[in-house]
Structures are given as C-alpha cells and as structure tokens.
Amino acid sequence: MTNDSVRPALDGTTIRPVRTGESEAEAALIVRAFAAGPYGHLPKGAERAAFEADTAGRAADGAVLVAVDAEGGVVGTASVLRASSRYSRVARPGEAEVRLISVDPGAQGSGLGAALTRASLEEALGWGAAALVLDTGTRNLRAQALYERLGFERDAERDAAVGADVDSLAYRYPLQRREDVVVRLMRADEADAVAELVESAYAADFELNPRYRADIVAVAERARAHQVWVAADAATGELLGTATTPRAGATMSPVAHAGELDFRFLGVAPAARRRGIGETLVRHVLALARLRGIDRVVLNTGPDMLGAQRLYDRLGFTRLHEREYRFVRPDGSGFQMLAYGRDAGVDAA
C-alpha cells in the first residue's frame, strides 16, 4: 500500500497512508481507543505518550495507515515499522512490526481492526519483509483472538514484561516462503530492468507481435495502476521473475468476477528457470488473496504458454471453460484465450 494507495474497508471506509494534516486526529484516536481498552485505567508514562503523539516519526520508521470514513474522519490506525527503527520493539532483522492498531470506540466490533491488520500485512509484504510481528497485552483477549483468527502464530520467545502491570504476548505472521528468494513490490528505479526481464521471458517461448510487446514492456505505466511484484535473489538482489496484481478492491482483466483476485504478466528470467521462481510467484499471489480475505484466484493465459499451463495444473488450478474467449488480432487471425482458477485456500508446502 505504497504511494498513497487506497483500499476499501467497511461501509464506505477506506484505508490508506496518513496524510499531512491528519497527524493530530490520528494521535487523538490512539488515545481514545486505548482509554477504552483493557489497560485504559493504567497511568501512561511520558515515553509512551510521546510515542503515541509522534505520527510523523512513526511514518518515517515505516508507514502509518489510517482508516477514514466517508466524511473524511480518521476512525482507525496502525503503524507498520521496520526492524531496528526507533519505535520497533520485538522485530528482528528482515522483519516488520505493527504497533498501535487502534479503532475508534464507536467503531469497535465492526471488523475494522481486522481490516487494518490485513492492510498492515500487505504493507510489510510489499517491503519484502520476512514476517510481520507484534505484541499485545495478556489482558487484551479480543486482540489475541483476532490475530489467531488471521493466522498469526504465537512466538513465546519474544514475550516480555512491558511494564510493572503489563505482560505482553508476541505473535508472528510469516510472509516469505523461501530464504533464498524475496518477493516484494518493484521499486520505481527497477521498471526498465523488469521490462527487460518480462520481455525476455515471453520472447523465449514465442514470437511477440509489436502490440503485445508494447503491452508487456509498459511496466512503469502498469505500476501506476496496479502492483508489480518481483522475485529477487536474497543474496545478490538479482531480479529473477515478476508478476502483476491489481490493487485491493480492483481487478486487471475481465476474467475476474467480484470477490476474486486475478494476475497477469507472470515471467521468469531465462537464466533463472528451473529454480521454482514461477511457482514462488504464483504461491505469492495465492497468499496475497488470503491476506485480502479473497477466496479465489483466476487468470488468463495463451495456448502457446505450455510451461505456464503445466505450472497451473500442478498447483491445483482448473480450466474455467465458460470464461474463455477468442482473442482476435488486427489482421483477423486469433486464438482461444484460456482461463484458469483455484481457491486460495490454505497453501501447501
């Protein structure tokens, strides 16, 4: 959720990065939310008060996400922090941490806390973080139930006493499947390299007509509307593969129906083939669907992309014959565009 991207939440509420002029409202919301919680009766130290008030500092350490209602009011917030930054408390190198997940007392119980947590997971995923971690007080039973329902795992090694009257429980949500490959959002200065990668990936399998080639290499333009993901070698940073997904709440192609996630432009650098990069990227899309609470992933592919078809078959995708159509070229020739789909489900190892 970078570059001020907006995602729908509940009943006209949207989640996006905090904007200039909202810091005071965001900090005040945190105070109200925590006062209504299980630790609201305890005195607040100066260090904690300064942390809550420092919206700009938390944003500089990562990202401050806010939930904004239809009237523009801030009704929720979460701070996603990079490991080793000043406000990170339990994250280890390579991880991200979420703190101060807060919902206005009048909106609690609406599911907004879950939406903010999902948005925080996606933010950390975009950074390429190995995991998102957090801690919460032992008395905060509602929060514990939420994190466990969303798939966080208890990490007892990081449990700690936060204060004289507060013991914390730590949770961790793994975001990367492999130690040797990191999947993250493309950086702006990588657009040309990704365009070269995806063009070479497609050209290795079949001849590209000028129109399709132009569509494939329009990576910078694509990133303005959608999410361009890259798989990079964890040791060297070399770009190995790419895939594009829509931003939350949107679709990229007619193949996707309401409540589904589609993806396009899956490509693996020719030199990186046989390393499982294509499978890693497809499983990444399935994981992204689960983060968003989406049940199904769908896609189109051409009849010549036999390697991709074998990959989809192996990963449990099935043909959606009713969604297939004939693609007609400007010269009148054409081919049958294939459609595949799979429930996001629980990913297998």
Side-chain angles (χ1 to χ4, degrees):
M1 267 187 48
T2 56
N3 300 322
D4 209 27
S5 60
V6 177
R7 62 180 289 157
L10 308 164
D11 299 327
T13 302
T14 57
I15 297 175
R16 56 165 171 76
V18 68
R19 295 176 180 168
T20 302
E22 293 176 332
S23 295
E24 185 175 342
E26 190 266 349
L29 168 67
I30 294 171
V31 173
R32 293 197 306 276
F34 275 73
Y39 296 99
H41 63 289
L42 297 177
K44 186 180 298 183
E47 183 177 349
R48 170 71 185 204
F51 169 49
E52 294 179 359
D54 190 10
T55 306
R58 287 182 271 113
D61 283 353
V64 173
L65 307 179
V66 290
V68 181
D69 63 20
E71 289 74 42
V74 176
V75 293
T77 183
S79 295
V80 190
L81 309 171
R82 298 183 185 275
S84 303
S85 59
R86 64 190 136 168
Y87 289 133
S88 173
R89 184 158 63 185
V90 297
R92 294 171 180 166
E95 297 177 334
E97 180 173 352
V98 61
R99 298 190 65 186
L100 298 179
I101 300 175
S102 308
V103 176
D104 187 271
Q108 290 181 5
S110 66
L112 195 52
L116 283 161
T117 306
R118 291 185 187 276
S120 300
L121 284 161
E122 189 168 337
E123 182 73 23
L125 186 67
W127 298 350
L132 183 69
V133 298
L134 58 84
D135 67 332
T136 188
T138 54
R139 300 180 194 173
N140 200 343
L141 302 181
R142 289 179 59 181
Q144 294 165 36
L146 167 64
Y147 304 141
E148 291 169 6
R149 186 171 73 250
L150 292 180
F152 281 80
E153 304 166 352
R154 281 279 290 113
D155 190 343
E157 287 185 358
R158 304 193 213 190
D159 292 350
V162 178
D165 299 303
V166 181
D167 292 327
S168 76
L169 304 177
Y171 288 84
R172 186 178 189 271
Y173 192 112
L175 295 170
Q176 300 290 330
R177 293 185 54 84
R178 299 172 57 167
E179 294 184 357
D180 61 327
V181 176
V182 174
V183 180
R184 57 169 172 78
L185 286 175
M186 179 191 77
R187 299 168 186 142
D189 63 358
E190 294 174 325
D192 289 344
V194 173
E196 181 179 346
L197 183 157
V198 71
E199 181 183 17
S200 66
Y202 279 60
D205 291 329
F206 54 87
E207 184 176 352
L208 302 177
N209 64 59
R211 182 177 177 181
Y212 191 32
R213 184 185 299 272
D215 195 22
I216 288 171
V217 302
V219 173
E221 293 84 348
R222 196 150 61 239
R224 284 194 280 271
H226 306 296
Q227 296 172 311
V228 178
W229 299 92
V230 296
D233 188 283
T236 67
E238 178 187 3
L239 299 181
L240 308 173
T242 182
T244 301
T245 60
R247 297 188 187 278
T251 58
M252 293 187 66
S253 60
V255 71
H257 293 177
E260 296 178 337
L261 176 66
D262 56 338
F263 69 98
R264 296 189 65 195
F265 302 108
L266 173 68
V268 176
R273 292 188 174 184
R274 298 181 182 83
R275 289 183 57 180
I277 303 302
E279 178 175 343
T280 295
L281 284 163
V282 175
R283 290 194 184 279
H284 169 83
V285 174
L286 292 165
L288 179 63
R290 292 192 293 274
L291 288 187
R292 292 180 178 176
I294 294 174
D295 294 329
R296 193 161 180 79
V297 171
V298 297
L299 63 106
N300 282 127
T301 190
D304 294 335
M305 303 185 74
L306 301 180
Q309 293 167 37
R310 288 192 291 270
L311 171 62
Y312 303 140
D313 289 339
R314 189 172 75 251
L315 294 182
F317 285 79
T318 57
R319 288 277 295 277
L320 304 176
H321 295 282
E322 71 281 4
R323 303 193 199 185
E324 297 181 352
Y325 63 95
R326 182 167 177 78
F327 179 84
V328 180
R329 301 185 182 96
D331 64 2
S333 64
F335 57 86
Q336 186 77 0
M337 185 67 79
L338 309 182
Y340 283 80
R342 203 203 97 163
D343 291 346
V346 176
D347 203 5

